[in-house]
Amino acid sequence: MPVTRAYVALGSNQGERLRLMQLALDFLSSHELSIVQVSPIYENRALGMAEAEDFLNAIAEVNTSLSPINLLDRCLLVESEFGRVRGKEWAPRTIDLDIITYGHEVIQHPRLCIPHPRLTERDFVVHPLNAIAPDLVICGQRVSDIAQSLPIDELTLTDYCLHF
């Protein structure tokens, strides 16, 4: 299968957040997926989660020969390995991995929608993505333009970093 560039969002708001994000990034890597670069890490409020710890969020740019569904399955496996329990939608999580884009594909599948359906509403996704791919075009818009139109709401750049 040909190699495709994809962007994967990483987030955590339970436990050792930074360590869990690093372990998830390491676990994602394989002969079928290589990390190209990782955005700075941002901290933000936990949307819709009363009294939950703040999230750490970042975006990883990856090259992969996995199909979109196989990439999704890899992300779900990583989440499971690091204690993610899927219950209600707005719940704390040890690790959260979302495929933001997969090449230039638009996918509407029962298990996967690409580009991520709420991308343009989420400052904690758009601003890290803008840090590493401002010229990326999603749904006819440059990421830098999306970021400019999306205010930063309680989003803070941290000094943390992920290694690959």
Side-chain angles (χ1 to χ4, degrees):
M1 181 160 199
V3 173
T4 301
R5 171 125 333 137
Y7 292 87
V8 176
L10 299 96
S12 177
N13 81 326
Q14 278 188 319
E16 295 179 53
R17 301 171 301 161
L18 183 61
R19 181 175 169 276
L20 287 165
M21 289 173 68
Q22 183 65 62
L23 289 170
L25 190 65
D26 294 344
F27 198 87
L28 268 179
S29 298
S30 70
H31 67 279
E32 301 161 319
L33 187 147
S34 63
I35 309 298
V36 176
Q37 64 178 327
V38 180
S39 75
I41 298 174
Y42 290 78
E43 188 166 30
N44 71 296
R45 73 271 173 237
L47 289 173
M49 297 177 221
E51 300 180 29
E53 189 171 348
D54 289 346
F55 269 92
L56 291 182
N57 293 99
I59 300 284
E61 178 182 349
V62 304
N63 284 333
T64 184
S65 60
L66 295 168
S67 70
I69 294 298
N70 287 341
L71 178 57
L72 172 64
D73 288 340
R74 170 75 57 84
C75 290
L76 293 174
L77 176 64
V78 171
E79 287 181 349
S80 177
E81 284 290 319
F82 294 101
R84 168 83 187 264
V85 177
R86 290 190 175 270
K88 61 182 186 174
E89 184 176 6
W90 300 102
R93 50 205 71 170
T94 53
I95 195 71
D96 185 27
L97 301 173
D98 290 323
I99 303 169
I100 302 302
T101 67
Y102 183 91
H104 297 290
E105 292 192 35
V106 174
I107 300 170
Q108 295 296 322
H109 184 275
R111 294 184 59 211
L112 180 64
C113 293
I114 293 178
H116 193 282
R118 292 180 298 279
L119 164 73
T120 59
E121 302 166 13
R122 295 182 167 174
D123 59 354
F124 57 89
V125 173
V126 171
H127 290 285
L129 184 58
N130 185 51
I132 60 172
D135 294 325
L136 178 67
V137 175
I138 301 174
C139 297
Q141 288 186 291
R142 285 175 19 140
V143 168
S144 60
D145 294 334
I146 298 169
Q148 192 170 39
S149 68
L150 185 62
I152 294 176
D153 184 24
E154 299 179 47
L155 185 67
T156 306
L157 181 61
T158 72
D159 291 332
Y160 307 136
C161 62
L162 297 171
H163 305 281
F164 57 97

